[in-house]
Amino acid sequence: MNKTQKLIYIALLVAQGVILGLIENMFPSPFAFAPGAKLGLANLITIVALFTMPKRDSFRLIWMRLILTTLLGGTVSTFLYSMSGSLLSYFGMLLVKSLGPKRVSIIGISAAGGFLHNVGQLLVASWIAQSWTVMLYLPVMSLLGILAGIVIGIAGNYLLVHVRALQKFQLDYELTQKTKKGSGGYQK
């Protein structure tokens, strides 16, 4: 894959993530008993990115998606919540993914990401409220985050198996990773 193709692919994923995030923000929370809980449709793009591009590019994708979503329909506080949840989720999913496909599936990686996303957001809420009592909301949000992560993981797995363009990017990414590991080079 050449540089232009890579940039176009990243731009398309960022655009899809922003659109999914904005669409999801237009609708009220489907979980009336848990205000603020959402399915996290934009995280589908993060899952796809984790399996089809190097870490540096997927990290860049997350930042671009966060910034654009905030500029198009958010506030500073929504940016703080989104950023903390997204970054903790991203690094946690990278850590879980490093266990290998024999130990954890895409669905498991996504479920871990859903849980960690809520942990990150509640930590920021605790910091803003200057009280740890906000963390009492963690059990409810954890359950919803794990369930949402499972749904997003199933959707991501489906896309990676059935969309030919994603299969091509995933294959290119995996070949690049094997080449780097085989040559003993630095792995990005």
Side-chain angles (χ1 to χ4, degrees):
M1 167 175 31
N2 64 37
K3 188 174 181 176
T4 303
Q5 288 174 320
K6 183 172 91 168
L7 290 174
I8 291 170
Y9 180 61
I10 292 171
L12 287 171
L13 286 181
V14 168
Q16 291 168 354
V18 169
I19 290 168
L20 287 172
L22 292 174
I23 288 172
E24 189 170 32
N25 288 338
M26 294 165 80
F27 296 102
S29 174
F31 309 106
F33 58 90
K38 298 187 299 183
L39 188 56
L41 294 174
N43 293 329
L44 178 61
I45 301 305
T46 303
I47 288 293
V48 168
L50 282 174
F51 286 90
T52 60
M53 62 178 58
K55 293 173 194 162
R56 176 184 287 163
D57 293 335
S58 60
F59 187 70
R60 187 177 306 143
L61 177 141
I62 289 172
W63 274 107
M64 287 189 285
R65 181 176 59 87
L66 284 170
I67 291 168
L68 287 172
T69 303
T70 302
L71 288 174
L72 294 172
T75 62
V76 173
S77 64
T78 59
F79 177 75
L80 286 174
Y81 288 119
S82 296
M83 179 188 65
S84 62
S86 294
L87 292 178
L88 187 59
S89 173
Y90 175 74
F91 289 117
M93 287 191 294
L94 281 178
L95 185 64
V96 173
K97 183 182 177 224
S98 70
L99 296 173
K102 292 181 180 179
R103 292 195 177 121
V104 66
S105 67
I106 293 174
I107 297 167
I109 293 167
S110 181
F115 167 74
L116 290 170
H117 194 277
N118 287 329
V119 170
Q121 288 185 330
L122 288 175
L123 286 172
V124 167
S126 294
W127 175 69
I128 289 172
Q130 298 289 311
S131 172
W132 287 104
T133 58
V134 174
M135 295 305 284
L136 294 173
Y137 200 37
L138 185 60
V140 172
M141 294 302 286
S142 294
L143 177 64
L144 293 174
I146 291 167
L147 292 175
I150 289 170
V151 170
I152 295 299
I154 291 169
N157 191 46
Y158 180 85
L159 288 174
L160 290 170
V161 169
H162 290 91
V163 177
R164 286 189 190 153
L166 292 178
Q167 290 172 353
K168 177 189 177 300
F169 284 107
Q170 185 177 19
L171 183 61
D172 286 348
Y173 170 66
E174 289 171 357
L175 289 174
T176 302
Q177 295 305 307
K178 286 179 184 175
T179 304
K180 287 180 182 177
K181 286 180 183 178
S183 66
Y186 174 73
Q187 187 177 356
K188 290 183 183 178

